[in-house]
Amino acid sequence: MEIFHELYGRYYQNVTRILLETPCTREVMEKIIKEQGFEESLLFLLPKITDKAEWNLLEKEEDLWYSKLLYEPYTPTTKLERRWMKTQLNDRRVRLFLSEDLREQFLESLKEEKPLYQESDFDFFDRNKTGDPYEKESYQKAMRTILRALYRREETEITYQNKKERYLPLRLSYSMKEDCFRLYAVSKNQTAKGQMTIFLMSRVTEVKALDGRIIPDVDVQQWMKERREEKPAVVRVHDERKALERFMIQMTDYEKETQEEKDDCVCVRIFYRPEQRGELLERFLSMGPMLEVLEPQELRLEMKKRIRDQVRRFF
């Protein structure tokens, strides 16, 4: 994250790794910097770390360099970090990933810190106000079972709309607009046919782990590419008032291609799947007059219809 960039930046990581690697040769330090740093890191970093007049962290004996530190280097936890962590622990979704006991332990260790912000500080006017039932115990239990199965590559028995079937969970995705999680999973029958099922986690009533039952790996990325809409969405973004930056941040979870045009405009091709269509249109609408849908024609007509409907509501 940007707020930790200076503390956890690549230069700090490189120096830490070199200090932990000592005693080592200059060649080893060069290799570490080349692997972990930027293109210009070798020119900047090596003189700084080897020159006593600069950082004075190393000393040389014959062909080896030794750390002058009495202890192994570590990165301290800053006040900003602790406040950010407390904010995250107060998020409704954190209970999906942490047990309540562990969450309480973390909160106790951060009791002196003030959260950076509260959820009540924000008004999400363009987000589904219901979202998934994160506080519901059965939902939390199902999510944790899915997460464990994802990590272990284990088969599960999923009850969805009163139907039970065995699936291998492959991926969880979160929609900011709808405030919900989706699960991509495959059954044994679907594996042979190259098919997959997408579950709304809010409608999953129960998940049971079937220890030791493994289904062969499925190429999720390839499956998603094969099931994209035949025609990508093509839009023109007018780069005024940082509109392009806002648009790119909104579309980070979509595969896209960009091409610069005249008059500070950028043409963007966005690849999406059928179930993403509604959310995609909502994101386009949130850009207002800074975005124009060019293709495909049916998507452009749908945008026009939604805009007309909005106008009728206000005028």
Side-chain angles (χ1 to χ4, degrees):
M1 295 188 62
E2 283 189 16
I3 58 174
F4 306 139
H5 174 71
E6 291 301 324
L7 184 62
Y8 292 136
R10 216 172 276 190
Y11 286 143
Y12 289 89
Q13 294 175 23
N14 287 344
V15 173
T16 297
R17 186 174 168 187
I18 288 170
L19 291 167
L20 291 173
E21 199 73 26
T22 57
C24 65
T25 62
R26 184 184 178 92
E27 287 72 25
V28 170
M29 290 191 285
E30 290 179 358
K31 182 181 178 182
I32 291 172
I33 295 172
K34 285 179 181 178
E35 290 177 352
Q36 303 292 323
F38 302 104
E39 291 183 6
E40 73 280 4
S41 297
L42 196 62
L43 297 175
F44 167 79
L45 201 55
L46 202 57
K48 294 285 187 182
I49 199 170
T50 55
D51 191 341
K52 286 186 177 182
E54 292 289 345
W55 294 347
N56 195 24
L57 293 172
L58 300 174
E59 58 184 1
K60 188 178 182 182
E61 293 183 13
E62 297 182 353
D63 293 330
L64 293 176
W65 291 85
Y66 293 82
S67 171
K68 298 180 73 173
L69 301 183
L70 297 177
Y71 305 97
E72 288 188 355
Y74 72 98
T75 307
T77 304
T78 66
K79 186 174 184 65
L80 179 60
E81 271 188 293
R82 293 194 296 273
R83 291 185 62 192
W84 178 83
M85 289 171 64
K86 188 162 187 178
T87 304
Q88 300 307 307
L89 288 167
N90 289 328
D91 191 294
R92 295 179 302 144
R93 292 160 292 193
V94 79
R95 291 177 172 84
L96 307 179
F97 310 100
L98 294 176
S99 67
E100 192 60 27
D101 288 343
L102 190 56
R103 177 177 170 273
E104 290 297 333
Q105 288 179 35
F106 286 141
L107 285 172
E108 177 63 24
S109 66
L110 298 168
K111 62 183 179 181
E112 302 298 328
E113 303 300 339
K114 182 181 178 181
L116 282 176
Y117 55 84
Q118 304 287 344
E119 188 173 0
S120 58
D121 294 335
F122 299 91
D123 182 14
F124 297 99
F125 61 87
D126 59 347
R127 191 173 79 175
N128 188 336
K129 291 187 177 181
T130 55
D132 280 5
Y134 302 120
E135 293 85 0
K136 197 173 179 181
E137 188 176 344
S138 59
Y139 181 91
Q140 295 174 14
K141 184 178 178 181
M143 279 290 291
R144 289 176 193 154
T145 305
I146 290 293
L147 288 167
R148 187 163 56 249
L150 282 167
Y151 178 74
R152 297 178 178 177
R153 304 293 296 171
E154 288 180 343
E155 191 179 0
T156 58
E157 184 181 74
I158 297 176
T159 304
Y160 187 77
Q161 295 180 331
N162 298 322
K163 293 182 180 179
K164 285 185 181 181
E165 194 169 346
R166 292 176 177 176
Y167 289 92
L168 174 68
L170 297 174
R171 172 176 295 186
L172 275 170
S173 68
Y174 175 72
S175 167
M176 289 190 296
K177 293 286 184 182
E178 298 175 8
D179 190 23
C180 74
F181 281 92
R182 288 188 175 90
L183 171 67
Y184 295 81
V186 63
S187 67
K188 287 184 178 179
N189 294 332
Q190 290 176 320
T191 303
K193 298 176 183 178
Q195 297 175 343
M196 193 176 296
T197 300
I198 303 173
F199 297 99
L200 287 171
M201 282 302 299
S202 59
R203 297 181 184 177
V204 173
T205 53
E206 188 179 10
V207 181
K208 292 182 180 179
L210 304 175
D211 296 341
R213 293 180 174 273
I214 306 297
I215 297 178
D217 284 349
V218 177
D219 190 336
V220 183
Q221 291 292 350
Q222 184 61 33
W223 180 88
M224 290 183 172
K225 284 185 178 180
E226 291 173 355
R227 282 149 185 80
R228 293 188 310 203
E229 288 284 4
E230 185 177 347
K231 298 177 181 178
V234 182
V235 300
R236 178 180 290 124
V237 182
H238 300 268
D239 194 12
E240 299 177 24
R241 303 197 298 272
K242 296 186 177 181
L244 180 60
E245 181 181 344
R246 289 189 286 113
F247 178 73
M248 288 303 180
I249 291 173
Q250 278 208 44
M251 306 304 297
T252 51
D253 50 341
Y254 285 85
E255 183 182 348
K256 52 193 172 296
E257 298 173 355
T258 59
Q259 180 180 353
E260 290 188 15
E261 296 183 340
K262 296 179 180 179
D263 301 324
D264 292 327
C265 291
V266 176
C267 183
V268 186
R269 288 160 50 89
I270 302 157
F271 302 93
Y272 66 101
R273 297 184 302 281
E275 73 273 8
Q276 296 174 310
R277 181 188 180 98
E279 182 173 347
L280 192 68
L281 287 167
E282 289 178 7
R283 296 194 190 190
F284 290 168
L285 286 167
S286 69
M287 294 298 298
M290 300 303 170
L291 181 143
E292 178 186 3
V293 176
L294 304 178
E295 298 177 25
Q297 187 64 20
E298 55 268 25
L299 204 65
R300 182 179 172 88
L301 292 174
E302 178 65 20
M303 275 288 286
K304 286 184 176 181
K305 180 179 180 302
R306 292 197 177 204
I307 292 171
R308 283 198 298 268
D309 290 344
Q310 287 185 352
V311 171
R312 289 194 191 101
R313 290 175 187 175
F314 289 97
F315 300 100

